[in-house]
Every structure is written in structure tokens, then in C-alpha cells.
Amino acid sequence: MTDQPSTPSPDAATHAAGPDAEKPEDHLVTTVHSLALPDRALDYTATTGTVVLKEEPEGEEYGRGAAFAELFSVSYVAQGAGTQERPVVFAFNGGPGASTVWLHLGLLGPRRVDSGDAGSPAAPPHRLLDNHETVLRQADLVVVDAMTTGYSRPVPGAKTDRHHGLAADRDLMASFVIDWLTRNQRWTSPIFLAGESYGTTRASAVAARLMDRYYVAIAGIALISPVLDFGTIRFHEGNDRPFVHYLPTYAAIAHAHGKHEGRLLQDVVDEAEAFAEQEYPALLAAGLRLAPEQKQEAAARIGALIGVDPDWVERADLRVEHQAFLAELLRENGLQAGRIDGRFTAPAGDGNTATMESDPSIDQLAPSYTATINQYLRRELDFTSDVVYEIMSGRVHPWSYKDFENRSVEVASDLARLLRKSPHTTVLVSHGYHDAATPFHASEHVLAQLAIPREDYSQRIRIEYYEAGHMMYCHEPSRLALSQHLAEFVTGQDAAADES
């Protein structure tokens, strides 16, 4: 890839939002690049930096724009004819508290990090590679960081926690999309949203907000490692749903570590899903009515499926929590498995620990992303700042779900309402079999319960699976497959999942 001189806006070199800062202003830098693809050169501009978003206060001040947030983004726009007809993909990660560096440099952007994979994480010095599978081949790309992640911050003097919640974050991201379309005169371009993890929660809520509030119909939503109903994945007393939905993921992770020798992954997953859907819920519902021998038999069945000692399962009352499982699966080898990607392992500091101590997959992948995003923004995109680029920030917590008091946090209803209102919106769902953060069976269940016509489920929702984890793009075959699926999705060439 070759780079050409940048065109900075005034005062774009350095930006610090300190308490003594004057009126907030945009700080953007535009650089010109060319990516050498096997069949052609892809010329594009990258516009990097923070934009000031304004809102219209209610009451007497209605109609007067007031600055309330500075969001950081990188916009990639291909050069050439047909710009107005070219799709635009807005992408964000989740957390809450994760910047969009993961989708940006892991999957979507024209440059990608050489992160390595399970068993062979990249060693320093970390490096970037040209991404010949970038979605920029088919669509322009805008990667945006949520509040208090990356370089996104409130305007000076604003409360830092104002945007730390589902509804506020949703409205902020929707405002950013509207602002970007207006600034760039792209209102007639097909609009796609791509989210990962909590970013899929965000994408579903933002897409519905754009339709409900602004009558902006999204062409498509890519949900990568989705969570649409937190009640399916949050372990707490009295909620048996996560135990059921996690079990097929446990079986897949056990397979990755040789616990089902001689068997195909798909066969193991199919068996685990059949058990989770048919026998397991009844066993858990029986509770104290289950005879001791029945409980012992169930523990043996579960233990064989997920690769752990049946006695341990029985002592857990047949209810295996995910961090406990990740600590237990390879305990005899002195290892713990990863949550984001169960194929990753690391030595356990305490051989008797009840739950995993940290996540080996994040620990081994994050350093390459941290190093490369900081170098890339400065060296190739010419954007500098004395503010810390927050890869993962705990400063967003507590995250507010105030609209969901006494009920499960969910956006499945938002997604269903959008699909009912907007007949041309389609959905691509991407699952990693070894993802112990957002298990695929939970997502399958929620999607199958959407309040939409049966034909919409079969014709407008495409579901794909990959032999990796939450960030399946660290696994090269999965990255290539997902990139191809995204290309088909954005260009409208995808084939919807067959009705089963």
C-alpha cells in the first residue's frame, strides 16, 4: 500500500480536551492512500479524528445547537465514479467499553493487524498487513468509537457518564450516523451497520432508532458474535437459560482441546444442541424431584459432552457456569481456557481456582492491537493526540439499563420492529463455535423467537458459523470466510439461510 501526503484541517495535529479548552471544534485529518489488490489498485481517502456533535435542547432554547460530545472515527471513502450509489458501512465494537479497533484492524479496514492465533499469538514487534479482503472493496467504511473509548470524549465541562447507558449510547450513535450522512452528502447511499458483541446490541438499537426517530431505513445489519437478550447469557440465581444455551459452546471448546477424539466438530455440536433443546431443560426444571440415580446419569451425560468430570457436574447441581467451566476443563494440565475464544489457553496461577483468573484470548491478542492502532493512527493516518486511546475502558461502568427495570435487557424487540417496518432490511449473523462470551445457541434461540413472519426469518436473516471464537477473524480460514460473507451481504448477493 502506498500513502500520499495528508491534508489536515486547522489545528488538527494535536487535540486535548482539557478543562481549559475553548469552544469544541472538529479535529480531522484527511490522507490519501492506495491499496494494491490482486486485480487492481483501490484508491481511497481516510478522514481521521473527532467531530463535535450538537443537540437541540428542549424548552426555550429549542432549535439552538449545543455541543455535547466529541466522537472519534476513521472514514474510508473509495475514489472513483458512483460514490453516491456506493454503500456505507458504519461499524462499532461493544463491551460496553471496547473501542472499535478490533473490527477496524481485525476484519474490515484496508490494513489489518498480524495478531496470530490460538497457540501462536504474534510476538513483538507487531505489524500491520494490507487487507486484500477489506469491505472497502464493496462499500465505504466508517469505524466509530463509542463514548469514553478510543479518543471519544464528552465536550469540556459535560458529565462524563451521560452517555454510559443503552438508551443514551443508542441515541448518540444514531446522531453520529445522521451527522456523517449530512456532512458527506451521502443520504442516498445504502446504509449498513456492523457490530460485534455488545456492538450487536448497539446496532439493533441504533437501527431501530434511526427508523423510529428519523425514518432512515437501514439496508442491512451485520451481527458478529451477537447478544440480543442478556437473559440468555447472564448467570444469576433462578435463571436456567444460560446453562442451557452455553452447553453446546462448552462441547465445542472441549472438542478443540481433544476431548472428543476422532469426532467431527459438527457432530459434537449437533449432539450437544439436541440435548440442550430436549432433555436438559427438563432435567433442570425437575430440581429436587430428580432421583439421585437420574441426577448421576445426567451428570455423566453432561460431563461426557463438555469434557469434564461428571462428579464435578453433579456437585454443580448440573448447572455449569462459564467461567467455572473454563477453569475446570484443562485443570489437570494446569491450564485455563479463554472466554472470548476457548481455543486459547494460559497457565493457571492457582490450580484450585473456582473460576478463570483472566482471559487468555484477550491477554494474548490485545497487545498487537494496542501497538498497531497507536502506530497506525500517527504514522499512516497522521492523527496525533495527547489523550490515551482507550482500547478497553472500565470507565464506562456502571452502564445504565434504566429502561429495563425488573426485566431482561434485550433488543430483540427492536430488531423485530425494524424488520416489520422496513421490508428491505436484511441481517447477517456470524457465530463462532468457540465463543464463550456470546454463545451461538443463545443467539439461535432469540432469532427464532423474533416477532416477524416465518418467511422473513428464512429469507431476510442469514446465519453463518466459524470454527473460532468471538473474534473469529484471528483464525485465518474464518477471517476469509467472514470477509466473503460480508462482501456478499453488502452487495446483495447473499443467499438467505434455508428454512429448516
Side-chain angles (χ1 to χ4, degrees):
M1 186 181 75
T2 59
D3 299 340
Q4 299 177 28
S6 62
T7 305
S9 63
D11 302 320
T14 303
H15 171 47
D20 298 327
E22 298 179 357
K23 180 181 178 180
E25 297 178 348
D26 296 342
H27 294 267
L28 298 170
V29 180
T30 297
T31 49
V32 181
H33 308 263
S34 183
L35 175 63
L37 298 175
D39 59 339
R40 61 189 171 97
L42 176 59
D43 299 324
Y44 65 94
T45 61
T47 300
T48 307
T50 55
V51 295
V52 177
L53 296 183
K54 297 181 179 181
E55 62 183 343
E56 293 183 333
E58 297 180 356
E60 295 181 357
E61 297 298 318
Y62 181 79
R64 298 182 181 179
F68 71 109
E70 298 179 62
L71 284 194
F72 179 81
S73 66
V74 182
S75 302
Y76 297 100
V77 177
Q79 301 303 289
T83 299
Q84 295 302 316
E85 291 74 35
R86 209 171 139 80
V88 181
V89 176
F90 293 88
F92 28 70
N93 275 85
S99 72
T100 307
V101 64
W102 315 98
L103 285 178
H104 185 181
L105 296 187
L107 178 67
L108 300 177
R111 298 278 277 161
R112 65 181 181 89
V113 64
D114 181 14
S115 67
D117 195 7
S120 58
H126 299 292
R127 63 184 183 134
L128 287 171
L129 308 172
D130 284 348
N131 184 9
H132 292 163
E133 294 73 37
T134 174
V135 76
L136 187 58
R137 295 174 305 156
Q138 296 84 27
D140 294 333
L141 171 65
V142 183
V143 290
V144 55
D145 291 329
M147 182 56 64
T148 321
T149 74
Y151 288 132
S152 295
R153 301 291 188 273
V155 296
K159 293 183 178 180
T160 58
D161 61 352
R162 170 181 170 179
H163 306 289
H164 297 165
L166 192 152
D169 172 80
R170 172 202 67 199
D171 295 350
L172 178 63
M173 284 295 181
S175 295
F176 175 87
V177 171
I178 295 298
D179 183 82
W180 193 95
L181 295 174
T182 301
R183 288 171 182 249
N184 293 275
Q185 302 181 43
R186 297 295 294 275
W187 276 95
T188 57
S189 295
I191 304 165
F192 289 81
L193 303 184
E196 180 183 341
S197 192
Y198 182 85
T200 64
T201 310
R202 175 179 289 131
S204 300
V206 170
R209 173 68 173 177
L210 287 169
M211 185 64 186
D212 295 341
R213 169 66 175 84
Y214 303 104
Y215 288 100
V216 173
I218 298 299
I221 311 174
L223 304 176
I224 301 169
S225 303
V227 53
L228 303 176
D229 184 341
F230 283 66
T232 62
I233 68 168
R234 290 282 174 86
F235 294 89
H236 58 78
E237 189 172 349
N239 180 25
D240 279 342
R241 289 190 292 167
F243 300 109
V244 171
H245 295 311
Y246 264 91
L247 187 131
T249 294
Y250 297 160
I253 294 173
H255 180 274
H257 295 289
K259 300 289 186 175
H260 293 283
E261 188 174 355
R263 298 189 63 188
L264 296 175
L265 172 62
Q266 193 61 57
D267 290 342
V268 172
V269 168
D270 289 346
E271 181 185 353
E273 287 207 279
F275 178 78
E277 293 170 0
Q278 299 167 21
E279 300 173 56
Y280 195 23
L283 290 167
L284 296 180
L288 295 174
R289 295 169 293 182
L290 201 63
E293 58 273 18
Q294 292 176 304
K295 185 173 184 179
Q296 189 174 44
E297 181 181 343
R301 179 74 187 281
I302 294 169
L305 279 171
I306 69 175
V308 297
D309 186 343
D311 290 341
W312 181 79
V313 176
E314 188 172 0
R315 290 194 300 272
D317 198 27
L318 308 183
R319 293 166 170 83
V320 178
E321 193 275 336
H322 73 313
Q323 294 196 45
F325 167 77
L326 298 170
E328 181 67 23
L329 178 65
L330 302 172
R331 190 185 300 276
E332 62 186 14
N333 305 116
L335 300 173
Q336 58 181 342
R339 176 174 175 267
I340 291 294
D341 193 326
R343 299 173 305 131
F344 285 73
T345 63
D350 178 0
N352 293 316
T353 184
T355 64
M356 61 184 297
E357 299 164 327
S358 65
D359 186 346
S361 43
I362 285 292
D363 293 342
Q364 294 172 29
L365 291 172
S368 60
Y369 281 85
T370 302
T372 52
I373 187 63
N374 280 283
Q375 189 80 338
Y376 176 57
L377 293 176
R378 290 163 173 80
R379 176 170 290 183
E380 298 188 27
L381 301 187
D382 288 352
F383 182 86
T384 61
S385 174
D386 56 5
V387 175
V388 173
Y389 186 91
E390 295 278 5
I391 303 291
M392 298 278 284
S393 176
R395 296 164 59 194
V396 305
H397 298 292
W399 191 260
S400 173
Y401 298 106
K402 63 181 180 180
D403 296 330
F404 296 89
E405 187 174 355
N406 295 324
R407 66 187 180 99
S408 175
V409 175
E410 59 84 24
V411 292
S413 58
D414 288 333
L415 180 60
R417 185 173 70 257
L418 172 69
L419 293 175
R420 295 194 304 266
K421 284 186 171 185
S422 177
H424 301 295
T425 300
T426 57
V427 181
L428 172 65
V429 183
S430 302
H431 296 133
Y433 279 127
H434 305 106
D435 177 3
T438 56
F440 63 90
H441 190 266
S443 172
E444 291 174 340
H445 171 80
V446 174
L447 291 168
Q449 308 304 318
L450 291 178
I452 58 175
R454 178 185 294 272
E455 58 269 23
D456 284 348
Y457 173 78
S458 61
Q459 296 173 12
R460 296 170 63 190
I461 299 176
R462 177 180 179 178
I463 304 176
E464 299 288 349
Y465 300 84
Y466 309 89
E467 293 189 22
H470 196 74
M471 296 156 54
M472 64 282 292
Y473 39 84
C474 74
H475 176 242
E476 186 63 3
S478 296
R479 184 187 72 82
L480 294 173
L482 176 53
S483 296
Q484 180 61 34
H485 296 153
L486 283 168
E488 295 166 356
F489 181 63
V490 169
T491 57
Q493 299 174 3
D494 62 296
D498 293 333
E499 183 175 4
S500 56

